[in-house]
Amino acid sequence: MQEFHRKIRSFVRREGRMTAGQTLAYESMMPDYGFEFNKQLLNFEKLFGNNNPVTLEIGFGMGASLAEQAANYPELNFIGIEVHRPGVGSLLARMKEREVTNIRVISYDAIDVLEHMIEDNSLAKLQLFFPDPWHKTRHHKRRIVKSEFARQVHQKLQDNGVLHMATDWENYAQHMLAVMQQEAGWTNLSATDDYVPKPDDRPVTKFQKRGERLGHGVWDLMFKKDTPHV
Ligand SMILES: C[S@@+](CC[C@H](N)C(=O)[O-])C[C@H]1O[C@@H](n2cnc3c(N)ncnc32)[C@H](O)[C@@H]1O
């Protein structure tokens, strides 16, 4: 009998309905700011029309944080990846509202986009804010942060490039830290070798506020890719 291996994904598709505003933004802005999945490496200079450093965000949700960050840092380029299409529509609507032009968007599994479309040693930063925590132990295998992921990100970052993660779920923060501590080639940017204070460039979002309101905190982790010894 043929064995069938299905990839374990970090999300469950929940298409949901797009609002009229999200649909309008999606249809009018995807041709200029979106790109489709294919197995060809992206040329960042062509994609953005400049050579500015590129930050890639996985799972931007409704895009509030990414739109604000891109508006605050016009000298940087951003690639946003989100499987949830209403979220993509929402990000595009926010971009239009704020006249943000330095984001390119794709609605696809980030793991596949990283593998097939992002050149090795090309990203200045990769950010993962409040990824689905998959609370139940039997679902932990769905967590995006695992050693394979850390290695994939390492391959795609430039030397001295940074992986920035944030979560409001302590158990996931501990898991992120444990995964990263086992991997070679990273320097933890925490002075205490665990978490960093919220950096100014990460906008405050609903998860941040929820964490604070519930009194269970938010944990930021930042790791720098080491320069290889020659
Ligand atoms: C809990 S939400 C957080 C959203 C956002 N970062 C925020 O802080 O509001 C996690 C998001 O990651 C997206 N996601 C999970 N796995 C993904 C993957 N492999 N590729 C792209 N998006 C993914 C989900 O669709 C979801 O919108």
PDB file of all heavy atoms in Angstrom, residues 162-196:
ATOM      1  N   VAL A 162      18.345  39.380  11.606  1.00  0.00           N
ATOM      2  CA  VAL A 162      17.707  39.127  12.904  1.00  0.00           C
ATOM      3  C   VAL A 162      16.369  38.397  12.756  1.00  0.00           C
ATOM      4  O   VAL A 162      15.558  38.732  11.894  1.00  0.00           O
ATOM      5  CB  VAL A 162      17.499  40.476  13.640  1.00  0.00           C
ATOM      6  CG1 VAL A 162      16.594  40.314  14.869  1.00  0.00           C
ATOM      7  CG2 VAL A 162      18.834  41.059  14.057  1.00  0.00           C
ATOM      8  N   LEU A 163      16.179  37.404  13.618  1.00  0.00           N
ATOM      9  CA  LEU A 163      14.872  36.758  13.770  1.00  0.00           C
ATOM     10  C   LEU A 163      14.221  37.360  15.012  1.00  0.00           C
ATOM     11  O   LEU A 163      14.794  37.304  16.107  1.00  0.00           O
ATOM     12  CB  LEU A 163      15.049  35.241  13.940  1.00  0.00           C
ATOM     13  CG  LEU A 163      13.809  34.458  14.399  1.00  0.00           C
ATOM     14  CD1 LEU A 163      12.661  34.578  13.397  1.00  0.00           C
ATOM     15  CD2 LEU A 163      14.149  32.977  14.617  1.00  0.00           C
ATOM     16  N   HIS A 164      13.046  37.968  14.836  1.00  0.00           N
ATOM     17  CA  HIS A 164      12.319  38.579  15.955  1.00  0.00           C
ATOM     18  C   HIS A 164      10.976  37.876  16.112  1.00  0.00           C
ATOM     19  O   HIS A 164      10.166  37.864  15.193  1.00  0.00           O
ATOM     20  CB  HIS A 164      12.116  40.083  15.662  1.00  0.00           C
ATOM     21  CG  HIS A 164      11.358  40.810  16.735  1.00  0.00           C
ATOM     22  ND1 HIS A 164      10.937  42.107  16.597  1.00  0.00           N
ATOM     23  CD2 HIS A 164      10.948  40.427  17.969  1.00  0.00           C
ATOM     24  CE1 HIS A 164      10.301  42.487  17.689  1.00  0.00           C
ATOM     25  NE2 HIS A 164      10.285  41.476  18.535  1.00  0.00           N
ATOM     26  N   MET A 165      10.765  37.284  17.297  1.00  0.00           N
ATOM     27  CA  MET A 165       9.495  36.599  17.575  1.00  0.00           C
ATOM     28  C   MET A 165       8.860  37.218  18.809  1.00  0.00           C
ATOM     29  O   MET A 165       9.561  37.690  19.711  1.00  0.00           O
ATOM     30  CB  MET A 165       9.745  35.108  17.856  1.00  0.00           C
ATOM     31  CG  MET A 165      10.465  34.394  16.727  1.00  0.00           C
ATOM     32  SD  MET A 165      10.707  32.629  17.051  1.00  0.00           S
ATOM     33  CE  MET A 165      12.213  32.637  18.020  1.00  0.00           C
ATOM     34  N   ALA A 166       7.530  37.212  18.835  1.00  0.00           N
ATOM     35  CA  ALA A 166       6.827  37.685  20.035  1.00  0.00           C
ATOM     36  C   ALA A 166       5.627  36.784  20.268  1.00  0.00           C
ATOM     37  O   ALA A 166       5.003  36.307  19.315  1.00  0.00           O
ATOM     38  CB  ALA A 166       6.373  39.130  19.853  1.00  0.00           C
ATOM     39  N   THR A 167       5.320  36.545  21.531  1.00  0.00           N
ATOM     40  CA  THR A 167       4.136  35.749  21.872  1.00  0.00           C
ATOM     41  C   THR A 167       3.588  36.190  23.229  1.00  0.00           C
ATOM     42  O   THR A 167       4.330  36.679  24.074  1.00  0.00           O
ATOM     43  CB  THR A 167       4.465  34.229  21.907  1.00  0.00           C
ATOM     44  OG1 THR A 167       3.286  33.504  22.252  1.00  0.00           O
ATOM     45  CG2 THR A 167       5.560  33.892  22.888  1.00  0.00           C
ATOM     46  N   ASP A 168       2.279  36.014  23.408  1.00  0.00           N
ATOM     47  CA  ASP A 168       1.684  36.329  24.719  1.00  0.00           C
ATOM     48  C   ASP A 168       1.349  35.029  25.461  1.00  0.00           C
ATOM     49  O   ASP A 168       0.549  35.034  26.390  1.00  0.00           O
ATOM     50  CB  ASP A 168       0.424  37.201  24.554  1.00  0.00           C
ATOM     51  CG  ASP A 168      -0.682  36.492  23.790  1.00  0.00           C
ATOM     52  OD1 ASP A 168      -0.388  35.490  23.093  1.00  0.00           O
ATOM     53  OD2 ASP A 168      -1.843  36.936  23.877  1.00  0.00           O
ATOM     54  N   TRP A 169       1.967  33.954  25.040  1.00  0.00           N
ATOM     55  CA  TRP A 169       1.706  32.640  25.629  1.00  0.00           C
ATOM     56  C   TRP A 169       3.017  32.131  26.187  1.00  0.00           C
ATOM     57  O   TRP A 169       3.915  31.772  25.436  1.00  0.00           O
ATOM     58  CB  TRP A 169       1.143  31.729  24.526  1.00  0.00           C
ATOM     59  CG  TRP A 169       0.637  30.425  24.999  1.00  0.00           C
ATOM     60  CD1 TRP A 169       1.201  29.211  24.759  1.00  0.00           C
ATOM     61  CD2 TRP A 169      -0.534  30.185  25.789  1.00  0.00           C
ATOM     62  NE1 TRP A 169       0.467  28.229  25.360  1.00  0.00           N
ATOM     63  CE2 TRP A 169      -0.606  28.798  25.999  1.00  0.00           C
ATOM     64  CE3 TRP A 169      -1.515  31.012  26.359  1.00  0.00           C
ATOM     65  CZ2 TRP A 169      -1.627  28.205  26.747  1.00  0.00           C
ATOM     66  CZ3 TRP A 169      -2.527  30.425  27.095  1.00  0.00           C
ATOM     67  CH2 TRP A 169      -2.576  29.047  27.276  1.00  0.00           C
ATOM     68  N   GLU A 170       3.140  32.111  27.520  1.00  0.00           N
ATOM     69  CA  GLU A 170       4.438  31.842  28.155  1.00  0.00           C
ATOM     70  C   GLU A 170       5.029  30.491  27.737  1.00  0.00           C
ATOM     71  O   GLU A 170       6.226  30.380  27.461  1.00  0.00           O
ATOM     72  CB  GLU A 170       4.309  31.906  29.677  1.00  0.00           C
ATOM     73  CG  GLU A 170       5.657  31.791  30.359  1.00  0.00           C
ATOM     74  CD  GLU A 170       5.610  32.064  31.851  1.00  0.00           C
ATOM     75  OE1 GLU A 170       4.501  32.004  32.437  1.00  0.00           O
ATOM     76  OE2 GLU A 170       6.675  32.343  32.423  1.00  0.00           O
ATOM     77  N   ASN A 171       4.161  29.511  27.658  1.00  0.00           N
ATOM     78  CA  ASN A 171       4.630  28.174  27.291  1.00  0.00           C
ATOM     79  C   ASN A 171       5.248  28.158  25.886  1.00  0.00           C
ATOM     80  O   ASN A 171       6.223  27.456  25.629  1.00  0.00           O
ATOM     81  CB  ASN A 171       3.435  27.210  27.400  1.00  0.00           C
ATOM     82  CG  ASN A 171       3.769  25.829  26.905  1.00  0.00           C
ATOM     83  OD1 ASN A 171       3.628  25.545  25.721  1.00  0.00           O
ATOM     84  ND2 ASN A 171       4.227  24.980  27.804  1.00  0.00           N
ATOM     85  N   TYR A 172       4.680  28.975  24.997  1.00  0.00           N
ATOM     86  CA  TYR A 172       5.238  29.047  23.633  1.00  0.00           C
ATOM     87  C   TYR A 172       6.553  29.826  23.657  1.00  0.00           C
ATOM     88  O   TYR A 172       7.505  29.475  22.955  1.00  0.00           O
ATOM     89  CB  TYR A 172       4.224  29.682  22.673  1.00  0.00           C
ATOM     90  CG  TYR A 172       4.447  29.367  21.192  1.00  0.00           C
ATOM     91  CD1 TYR A 172       5.423  28.469  20.753  1.00  0.00           C
ATOM     92  CD2 TYR A 172       3.644  29.966  20.217  1.00  0.00           C
ATOM     93  CE1 TYR A 172       5.598  28.183  19.395  1.00  0.00           C
ATOM     94  CE2 TYR A 172       3.811  29.684  18.862  1.00  0.00           C
ATOM     95  CZ  TYR A 172       4.794  28.798  18.459  1.00  0.00           C
ATOM     96  OH  TYR A 172       4.969  28.518  17.123  1.00  0.00           O
ATOM     97  N   ALA A 173       6.631  30.854  24.494  1.00  0.00           N
ATOM     98  CA  ALA A 173       7.883  31.624  24.615  1.00  0.00           C
ATOM     99  C   ALA A 173       9.011  30.701  25.076  1.00  0.00           C
ATOM    100  O   ALA A 173      10.121  30.722  24.527  1.00  0.00           O
ATOM    101  CB  ALA A 173       7.697  32.778  25.593  1.00  0.00           C
ATOM    102  N   GLN A 174       8.695  29.860  26.063  1.00  0.00           N
ATOM    103  CA  GLN A 174       9.714  28.926  26.581  1.00  0.00           C
ATOM    104  C   GLN A 174      10.127  27.934  25.492  1.00  0.00           C
ATOM    105  O   GLN A 174      11.297  27.590  25.350  1.00  0.00           O
ATOM    106  CB  GLN A 174       9.155  28.169  27.793  1.00  0.00           C
ATOM    107  CG  GLN A 174       9.004  29.060  29.004  1.00  0.00           C
ATOM    108  CD  GLN A 174       8.100  28.457  30.075  1.00  0.00           C
ATOM    109  OE1 GLN A 174       7.390  27.483  29.832  1.00  0.00           O
ATOM    110  NE2 GLN A 174       8.124  29.054  31.260  1.00  0.00           N
ATOM    111  N   HIS A 175       9.131  27.516  24.719  1.00  0.00           N
ATOM    112  CA  HIS A 175       9.405  26.576  23.623  1.00  0.00           C
ATOM    113  C   HIS A 175      10.305  27.241  22.568  1.00  0.00           C
ATOM    114  O   HIS A 175      11.279  26.645  22.101  1.00  0.00           O
ATOM    115  CB  HIS A 175       8.066  26.139  23.018  1.00  0.00           C
ATOM    116  CG  HIS A 175       8.183  25.403  21.725  1.00  0.00           C
ATOM    117  ND1 HIS A 175       8.454  24.063  21.643  1.00  0.00           N
ATOM    118  CD2 HIS A 175       8.070  25.837  20.429  1.00  0.00           C
ATOM    119  CE1 HIS A 175       8.506  23.701  20.374  1.00  0.00           C
ATOM    120  NE2 HIS A 175       8.275  24.759  19.612  1.00  0.00           N
ATOM    121  N   MET A 176       9.983  28.506  22.211  1.00  0.00           N
ATOM    122  CA  MET A 176      10.795  29.228  21.225  1.00  0.00           C
ATOM    123  C   MET A 176      12.244  29.311  21.700  1.00  0.00           C
ATOM    124  O   MET A 176      13.187  29.075  20.942  1.00  0.00           O
ATOM    125  CB  MET A 176      10.258  30.653  21.027  1.00  0.00           C
ATOM    126  CG  MET A 176       8.942  30.741  20.281  1.00  0.00           C
ATOM    127  SD  MET A 176       8.290  32.435  20.382  1.00  0.00           S
ATOM    128  CE  MET A 176       6.897  32.344  19.251  1.00  0.00           C
ATOM    129  N   LEU A 177      12.390  29.655  22.980  1.00  0.00           N
ATOM    130  CA  LEU A 177      13.731  29.804  23.542  1.00  0.00           C
ATOM    131  C   LEU A 177      14.481  28.469  23.517  1.00  0.00           C
ATOM    132  O   LEU A 177      15.651  28.410  23.109  1.00  0.00           O
ATOM    133  CB  LEU A 177      13.610  30.338  24.987  1.00  0.00           C
ATOM    134  CG  LEU A 177      14.885  30.748  25.675  1.00  0.00           C
ATOM    135  CD1 LEU A 177      15.611  31.850  24.906  1.00  0.00           C
ATOM    136  CD2 LEU A 177      14.599  31.233  27.112  1.00  0.00           C
ATOM    137  N   ALA A 178      13.797  27.411  23.904  1.00  0.00           N
ATOM    138  CA  ALA A 178      14.440  26.086  23.936  1.00  0.00           C
ATOM    139  C   ALA A 178      14.880  25.674  22.528  1.00  0.00           C
ATOM    140  O   ALA A 178      15.992  25.167  22.335  1.00  0.00           O
ATOM    141  CB  ALA A 178      13.477  25.054  24.524  1.00  0.00           C
ATOM    142  N   VAL A 179      14.027  25.922  21.539  1.00  0.00           N
ATOM    143  CA  VAL A 179      14.375  25.566  20.158  1.00  0.00           C
ATOM    144  C   VAL A 179      15.623  26.340  19.732  1.00  0.00           C
ATOM    145  O   VAL A 179      16.586  25.767  19.210  1.00  0.00           O
ATOM    146  CB  VAL A 179      13.195  25.865  19.193  1.00  0.00           C
ATOM    147  CG1 VAL A 179      13.638  25.816  17.745  1.00  0.00           C
ATOM    148  CG2 VAL A 179      12.038  24.902  19.428  1.00  0.00           C
ATOM    149  N   MET A 180      15.622  27.651  19.981  1.00  0.00           N
ATOM    150  CA  MET A 180      16.724  28.486  19.505  1.00  0.00           C
ATOM    151  C   MET A 180      18.031  28.154  20.216  1.00  0.00           C
ATOM    152  O   MET A 180      19.108  28.222  19.627  1.00  0.00           O
ATOM    153  CB  MET A 180      16.381  29.971  19.672  1.00  0.00           C
ATOM    154  CG  MET A 180      15.238  30.439  18.790  1.00  0.00           C
ATOM    155  SD  MET A 180      15.478  30.107  17.028  1.00  0.00           S
ATOM    156  CE  MET A 180      16.823  31.203  16.641  1.00  0.00           C
ATOM    157  N   GLN A 181      17.931  27.798  21.504  1.00  0.00           N
ATOM    158  CA  GLN A 181      19.151  27.485  22.262  1.00  0.00           C
ATOM    159  C   GLN A 181      19.829  26.221  21.745  1.00  0.00           C
ATOM    160  O   GLN A 181      21.018  26.026  21.939  1.00  0.00           O
ATOM    161  CB  GLN A 181      18.819  27.346  23.751  1.00  0.00           C
ATOM    162  CG  GLN A 181      18.682  28.707  24.426  1.00  0.00           C
ATOM    163  CD  GLN A 181      18.129  28.609  25.843  1.00  0.00           C
ATOM    164  OE1 GLN A 181      17.520  27.611  26.204  1.00  0.00           O
ATOM    165  NE2 GLN A 181      18.323  29.648  26.635  1.00  0.00           N
ATOM    166  N   GLN A 182      19.044  25.386  21.087  1.00  0.00           N
ATOM    167  CA  GLN A 182      19.633  24.137  20.568  1.00  0.00           C
ATOM    168  C   GLN A 182      20.286  24.314  19.206  1.00  0.00           C
ATOM    169  O   GLN A 182      20.953  23.416  18.717  1.00  0.00           O
ATOM    170  CB  GLN A 182      18.537  23.084  20.425  1.00  0.00           C
ATOM    171  CG  GLN A 182      18.298  22.359  21.723  1.00  0.00           C
ATOM    172  CD  GLN A 182      17.098  21.442  21.621  1.00  0.00           C
ATOM    173  OE1 GLN A 182      16.655  21.107  20.535  1.00  0.00           O
ATOM    174  NE2 GLN A 182      16.591  21.042  22.760  1.00  0.00           N
ATOM    175  N   GLU A 183      20.017  25.466  18.580  1.00  0.00           N
ATOM    176  CA  GLU A 183      20.506  25.669  17.219  1.00  0.00           C
ATOM    177  C   GLU A 183      21.858  26.375  17.210  1.00  0.00           C
ATOM    178  O   GLU A 183      22.079  27.302  17.992  1.00  0.00           O
ATOM    179  CB  GLU A 183      19.497  26.502  16.421  1.00  0.00           C
ATOM    180  CG  GLU A 183      18.208  25.781  16.143  1.00  0.00           C
ATOM    181  CD  GLU A 183      18.404  24.490  15.365  1.00  0.00           C
ATOM    182  OE1 GLU A 183      19.117  24.503  14.348  1.00  0.00           O
ATOM    183  OE2 GLU A 183      17.854  23.462  15.790  1.00  0.00           O
ATOM    184  N   ALA A 184      22.719  25.985  16.279  1.00  0.00           N
ATOM    185  CA  ALA A 184      24.028  26.628  16.159  1.00  0.00           C
ATOM    186  C   ALA A 184      23.907  27.839  15.243  1.00  0.00           C
ATOM    187  O   ALA A 184      23.005  27.912  14.401  1.00  0.00           O
ATOM    188  CB  ALA A 184      25.014  25.637  15.563  1.00  0.00           C
ATOM    189  N   GLY A 185      24.808  28.801  15.424  1.00  0.00           N
ATOM    190  CA  GLY A 185      24.902  29.901  14.469  1.00  0.00           C
ATOM    191  C   GLY A 185      24.064  31.117  14.796  1.00  0.00           C
ATOM    192  O   GLY A 185      23.866  31.990  13.954  1.00  0.00           O
ATOM    193  N   TRP A 186      23.568  31.173  16.050  1.00  0.00           N
ATOM    194  CA  TRP A 186      22.750  32.318  16.458  1.00  0.00           C
ATOM    195  C   TRP A 186      23.330  32.953  17.722  1.00  0.00           C
ATOM    196  O   TRP A 186      23.871  32.262  18.572  1.00  0.00           O
ATOM    197  CB  TRP A 186      21.331  31.869  16.821  1.00  0.00           C
ATOM    198  CG  TRP A 186      20.496  31.307  15.731  1.00  0.00           C
ATOM    199  CD1 TRP A 186      20.290  29.988  15.466  1.00  0.00           C
ATOM    200  CD2 TRP A 186      19.707  32.033  14.776  1.00  0.00           C
ATOM    201  NE1 TRP A 186      19.428  29.846  14.400  1.00  0.00           N
ATOM    202  CE2 TRP A 186      19.052  31.094  13.965  1.00  0.00           C
ATOM    203  CE3 TRP A 186      19.488  33.395  14.531  1.00  0.00           C
ATOM    204  CZ2 TRP A 186      18.194  31.452  12.917  1.00  0.00           C
ATOM    205  CZ3 TRP A 186      18.630  33.754  13.497  1.00  0.00           C
ATOM    206  CH2 TRP A 186      18.004  32.795  12.705  1.00  0.00           C
ATOM    207  N   THR A 187      23.140  34.263  17.847  1.00  0.00           N
ATOM    208  CA  THR A 187      23.437  34.940  19.111  1.00  0.00           C
ATOM    209  C   THR A 187      22.137  35.508  19.649  1.00  0.00           C
ATOM    210  O   THR A 187      21.424  36.232  18.936  1.00  0.00           O
ATOM    211  CB  THR A 187      24.431  36.106  18.890  1.00  0.00           C
ATOM    212  OG1 THR A 187      25.633  35.554  18.351  1.00  0.00           O
ATOM    213  CG2 THR A 187      24.731  36.847  20.181  1.00  0.00           C
ATOM    214  N   ASN A 188      21.831  35.152  20.900  1.00  0.00           N
ATOM    215  CA  ASN A 188      20.635  35.720  21.532  1.00  0.00           C
ATOM    216  C   ASN A 188      20.920  37.179  21.878  1.00  0.00           C
ATOM    217  O   ASN A 188      21.909  37.480  22.556  1.00  0.00           O
ATOM    218  CB  ASN A 188      20.291  34.912  22.795  1.00  0.00           C
ATOM    219  CG  ASN A 188      18.929  35.294  23.359  1.00  0.00           C
ATOM    220  OD1 ASN A 188      18.359  36.328  22.987  1.00  0.00           O
ATOM    221  ND2 ASN A 188      18.402  34.472  24.254  1.00  0.00           N
ATOM    222  N   LEU A 189      20.076  38.098  21.423  1.00  0.00           N
ATOM    223  CA  LEU A 189      20.318  39.524  21.680  1.00  0.00           C
ATOM    224  C   LEU A 189      19.830  39.953  23.067  1.00  0.00           C
ATOM    225  O   LEU A 189      19.878  41.132  23.411  1.00  0.00           O
ATOM    226  CB  LEU A 189      19.656  40.374  20.587  1.00  0.00           C
ATOM    227  CG  LEU A 189      20.256  40.162  19.182  1.00  0.00           C
ATOM    228  CD1 LEU A 189      19.533  41.010  18.138  1.00  0.00           C
ATOM    229  CD2 LEU A 189      21.753  40.487  19.172  1.00  0.00           C
ATOM    230  N   SER A 190      19.361  38.996  23.859  1.00  0.00           N
ATOM    231  CA  SER A 190      18.902  39.306  25.213  1.00  0.00           C
ATOM    232  C   SER A 190      20.098  39.430  26.154  1.00  0.00           C
ATOM    233  O   SER A 190      20.976  38.565  26.152  1.00  0.00           O
ATOM    234  CB  SER A 190      17.994  38.170  25.688  1.00  0.00           C
ATOM    235  OG  SER A 190      17.902  38.183  27.088  1.00  0.00           O
ATOM    236  N   ALA A 191      20.088  40.469  26.982  1.00  0.00           N
ATOM    237  CA  ALA A 191      21.175  40.670  27.946  1.00  0.00           C
ATOM    238  C   ALA A 191      21.136  39.572  28.998  1.00  0.00           C
ATOM    239  O   ALA A 191      22.140  39.261  29.630  1.00  0.00           O
ATOM    240  CB  ALA A 191      21.033  42.039  28.593  1.00  0.00           C
ATOM    241  N   THR A 192      19.959  38.972  29.180  1.00  0.00           N
ATOM    242  CA  THR A 192      19.801  37.937  30.208  1.00  0.00           C
ATOM    243  C   THR A 192      19.722  36.540  29.584  1.00  0.00           C
ATOM    244  O   THR A 192      19.308  35.581  30.213  1.00  0.00           O
ATOM    245  CB  THR A 192      18.516  38.217  31.023  1.00  0.00           C
ATOM    246  OG1 THR A 192      17.465  38.545  30.097  1.00  0.00           O
ATOM    247  CG2 THR A 192      18.699  39.362  31.980  1.00  0.00           C
ATOM    248  N   ASP A 193      20.035  36.469  28.319  1.00  0.00           N
ATOM    249  CA  ASP A 193      20.061  35.203  27.592  1.00  0.00           C
ATOM    250  C   ASP A 193      18.686  34.543  27.459  1.00  0.00           C
ATOM    251  O   ASP A 193      18.599  33.335  27.279  1.00  0.00           O
ATOM    252  CB  ASP A 193      21.040  34.229  28.264  1.00  0.00           C
ATOM    253  CG  ASP A 193      22.018  33.684  27.243  1.00  0.00           C
ATOM    254  OD1 ASP A 193      22.102  34.272  26.150  1.00  0.00           O
ATOM    255  OD2 ASP A 193      22.669  32.664  27.541  1.00  0.00           O
ATOM    256  N   ASP A 194      17.646  35.338  27.612  1.00  0.00           N
ATOM    257  CA  ASP A 194      16.317  34.779  27.343  1.00  0.00           C
ATOM    258  C   ASP A 194      15.499  35.749  26.485  1.00  0.00           C
ATOM    259  O   ASP A 194      15.557  35.690  25.273  1.00  0.00           O
ATOM    260  CB  ASP A 194      15.593  34.361  28.635  1.00  0.00           C
ATOM    261  CG  ASP A 194      15.671  35.397  29.741  1.00  0.00           C
ATOM    262  OD1 ASP A 194      16.000  36.579  29.461  1.00  0.00           O
ATOM    263  OD2 ASP A 194      15.373  35.060  30.899  1.00  0.00           O
ATOM    264  N   TYR A 195      14.789  36.702  27.131  1.00  0.00           N
ATOM    265  CA  TYR A 195      13.888  37.570  26.381  1.00  0.00           C
ATOM    266  C   TYR A 195      14.438  38.996  26.320  1.00  0.00           C
ATOM    267  O   TYR A 195      15.286  39.374  27.111  1.00  0.00           O
ATOM    268  CB  TYR A 195      12.497  37.540  27.029  1.00  0.00           C
ATOM    269  CG  TYR A 195      12.026  36.110  27.221  1.00  0.00           C
ATOM    270  CD1 TYR A 195      11.959  35.517  28.488  1.00  0.00           C
ATOM    271  CD2 TYR A 195      11.730  35.309  26.111  1.00  0.00           C
ATOM    272  CE1 TYR A 195      11.583  34.182  28.646  1.00  0.00           C
ATOM    273  CE2 TYR A 195      11.359  33.975  26.267  1.00  0.00           C
ATOM    274  CZ  TYR A 195      11.287  33.421  27.534  1.00  0.00           C
ATOM    275  OH  TYR A 195      10.935  32.100  27.672  1.00  0.00           O
ATOM    276  N   VAL A 196      13.913  39.774  25.347  1.00  0.00           N
ATOM    277  CA  VAL A 196      14.322  41.183  25.235  1.00  0.00           C
ATOM    278  C   VAL A 196      13.101  42.069  25.547  1.00  0.00           C
ATOM    279  O   VAL A 196      11.965  41.628  25.347  1.00  0.00           O
ATOM    280  CB  VAL A 196      14.848  41.532  23.812  1.00  0.00           C
ATOM    281  CG1 VAL A 196      16.114  40.777  23.475  1.00  0.00           C
ATOM    282  CG2 VAL A 196      13.793  41.284  22.729  1.00  0.00           C
TER     283      VAL A 196
END
